[in-house]
Amino acid sequence: MTTESVCRVCEGVVHEFFDFGRQPLSDAFVVPGADDRDEFFFRLATGMCASCTMVQLMEEVPRGRMFHEEYPYHSSGSAFMRTHFEGLAKRLLTTELTGQDPFVVELGCNDGIMLKVLAEAGVRHLGVEPSGGVADVAAARGIRVRKAFFEESTAREIRNDDGAADVIYAANTLCHIPYMGSILTGVKELLAPTGVFLFEDPYLGDILERTSFDQIYDEHFFFFTARSVQAMAAGYGLELVDVERLGVHGGEVRYALAPAGARTPSAAVAELLAEEREKRIAEPATLQAFGAKVNKIRTDLVELLDGLRSAGRTVAGYGATAKSATVTNLCGIGPDLVPFVSDSTPAKQGRLTPGTHIPVRAPGAFSDPYPDYALLFAWNHAEEIMAKEQAFRAAGGKWILYVPDVHIV
Ligand code: SAH
Ligand code: TYD
Ligand code: ZN
C-alpha cells in the first residue's frame, strides 16, 4: 500500500516512495536525565508529486518545534563554508549590487556567515532569522537582523519599511519551508522588477546519485530539481533564469529566479533540465532504486559496526550533524555501537543525540585517546575534517563512510 499526501507547492497528489519510520527532531539534542516522554517523534517519509515532480516529506513538523531560541546549528562552524559564502558575497558586490544604494535580504541568515561580508562592505541589508540564539550572534557581528519567520506578511512589512530588494538570498533555508506559497508570494512582492531571488539547497540529483539519504530529515522538507523549481516558480509569476551546481554539503544547486520575462534564462538551465530527463530523476523507478540502496547501506553499516564491536575495536562518531539523526535512528545505532560523537558546537556538547542518545563530546575527547575508527557523520565536510585530523590517520585511525556506500578509508 502506498500512502499519499497533498503537494505543498501545487496541491497535486504526492506518492510516497520511502519510509524512514519514527524519527526524532534532528537538531533536538537531549539533556541527559530528561524525561524520555518529552522527546518529539514523527514519521519521516518521502514522496514525489505526480503533477509538478517536487520531492517532499509526507509529514510536516510545526516550525516552532524546529526553529527557536536554542536552535543549535551555527553556520560559521565550518571554515570551508565561511569561504564559500564569502565568495558568493564578493561576487554579488560586483554583479547584482552595483546600482544606487542596493538592498539585500537574506532568509535564514543564521549567525551572519554571509551577510557579515556585505555589512562590512556597507551594503544596505536585512537578515530574517527566526532562531533567536543564532540571530543574536549575527546582530553582535553588526548585522541588521529581524527575528521572524519569512512569509508573505513579513515580506510586505519589509517592503513598506525598506523598499524593494535587489537580491533576496537563501542558503539551505528554502528547502526547510513547507509553506512555499506564502514564501514565493512574499518574494514576488518584495523583489524589485530588476531583482533576483537566489537560493541554494541540496540537489535531488546528487542525493540520488550518492545515495545521501541522510539529507532527508525533519528540517529538509523539499528536495529540488531544475524541473520542479521551474514548475514551482511559474506558479508565482517568477521564472527560473539560472542554475549553478555547487560542491558544498555533498552537492547543491544555486537557483536564480526573476520576475517572469525580466531576464533571459541561461543555457545552464536547459542543460540541467536535459540532464535530469536523461537520468530519469523524477521517475518512480529511480526513486524505488534509491530506496533499495538505502536499505543496503543500513544493513552494511550495522553489520560493520557489530563486527568491530565484537572484535574489540573502538569507534567514535565525528560530527553530531542533523543528518546523523536519520542514520542513527534508521539503523538503530546507539551508544552500544558508537559510544560518543565528537562535535565542535558548544551547544551540542554534553547533550545526547536525538532518538538514540549517543553522548556528544567536545573535540578533545576524540584524541584522548584516538579511537580505532571514526564514523564520519559530517562526510560533507570530509576534506576540511580529514585535513585537520591528520594525526588520527598517523596514529593508525581509519574513517568509516556510508555515502555512497559503506566503506573504510
Ligand atoms: N543560511 C545558513 C543557515 C541554514 S540553517 C547556512 O546555509 O548555513 C536554516 C536556517 O533557516 C535556520 O537558521 C532557521 O532558523 C532558518 N529558517 C527556518 N525557517 C525560516 C523562515 N521561514 N524564514 C527565515 N529563516 C528561516
Ligand atoms: P553540517 O554537516 O554542516 O550540517 P547538518 O547539521 O545540517 O547536517 O554539520 C556539521 C556538524 O559537524 C556541526 O555540528 C559542526 C560539526 N563539525 C565538527 O565537529 N568539526 C568540524 O571540523 C566541522 C567542519 C564540523
Ligand atoms: Zn506538486
Side-chain angles (χ1 to χ4, degrees), residues 7 9-10 13-14 17 47-56 204 223-232 276 281-283 287:
C7 176
V9 174
C10 79
V13 182
V14 177
F17 66 85
M48 183 181 68
C49 174
S51 305
C52 74
T53 75
M54 184 68 81
V55 168
Q56 56 201 282
L204 181 66
F223 302 90
F224 301 130
T225 60
R227 180 172 170 192
S228 64
V229 167
Q230 187 178 54
M232 175 175 95
E276 290 175 359
I281 282 178
E283 288 183 18
L287 302 173

Side-chain angles (χ1 to χ4, degrees), residues 67 71 75 85 108 110 128-131 149-150 171-173 177 179:
F67 310 115
Y71 182 65
S75 301
F85 288 119
N110 199 273
V128 184
E129 176 50 71
S131 297
F149 284 97
F150 184 86
N172 307 297
T173 297
I177 308 181
Y179 36 104

Side-chain angles (χ1 to χ4, degrees), residues 86-98:
E86 193 180 303
L88 183 266
K90 288 193 170 148
R91 198 211 290 179
L92 288 178
L93 286 172
T94 59
T95 53
E96 301 291 341
L97 301 175
T98 54

Side-chain angles (χ1 to χ4, degrees), residues 73 77-78 217 249 318-323 342-345 348 378 380-381 384-385 388:
Y73 184 74
S78 159
Y217 54 89
H249 290 309
Y318 201 109
T321 57
K323 291 183 288 292
S342 155
D343 195 284
S344 58
T345 316
K348 297 181 183 178
N380 48 311
H381 301 293
E384 178 176 350
I385 290 171
K388 175 155 70 181

Side-chain angles (χ1 to χ4, degrees), residues 144-179:
R144 196 173 151 238
V145 196
R146 186 186 187 114
K147 279 191 200 177
F149 284 97
F150 184 86
E151 56 193 331
E152 196 180 339
S153 56
T154 331
R156 197 164 303 134
E157 286 161 22
I158 298 170
R159 170 108 200 192
N160 286 338
D161 295 348
D162 296 296
D166 299 286
V167 173
I168 302 177
Y169 177 68
N172 307 297
T173 297
L174 201 69
C175 76
H176 290 60
I177 308 181
Y179 36 104

Side-chain angles (χ1 to χ4, degrees), residues 232-376:
M232 175 175 95
Y236 296 90
L238 296 163
E239 187 176 6
L240 177 62
V241 294
D242 197 20
V243 289
E244 182 186 349
R245 295 190 76 151
L246 307 171
V248 298
H249 290 309
E252 300 204 328
V253 169
R254 181 180 292 149
Y255 305 88
L257 306 189
R263 297 188 183 201
T264 308
S266 70
V269 174
E271 282 163 19
L272 191 56
L273 286 168
E275 184 181 324
E276 290 175 359
R277 271 194 304 274
E278 192 188 316
K279 292 189 172 161
R280 301 172 186 272
I281 282 178
E283 288 183 18
T286 309
L287 302 173
Q288 295 301 337
F290 166 80
K293 287 189 214 158
V294 175
N295 284 329
K296 173 151 172 53
I297 290 177
R298 165 168 44 181
T299 312
D300 291 352
L301 185 56
V302 173
E303 206 175 282
L304 173 66
L305 293 174
D306 266 336
L308 291 175
R309 181 179 51 180
S310 305
R313 299 280 184 270
T314 54
V315 179
Y318 201 109
T321 57
K323 291 183 288 292
S324 69
T326 297
V327 181
T328 54
N329 287 278
L330 180 75
C331 302
I333 298 170
D336 51 331
L337 291 177
V338 178
F340 74 94
V341 184
S342 155
D343 195 284
S344 58
T345 316
K348 297 181 183 178
Q349 295 160 7
R351 300 225 179 181
L352 310 173
T353 61
T356 61
H357 297 183
I358 302 173
V360 182
R361 298 172 65 184
F366 183 64
S367 52
D368 185 28
Y370 283 123
D372 298 319
Y373 292 83
L375 177 54
L376 187 54

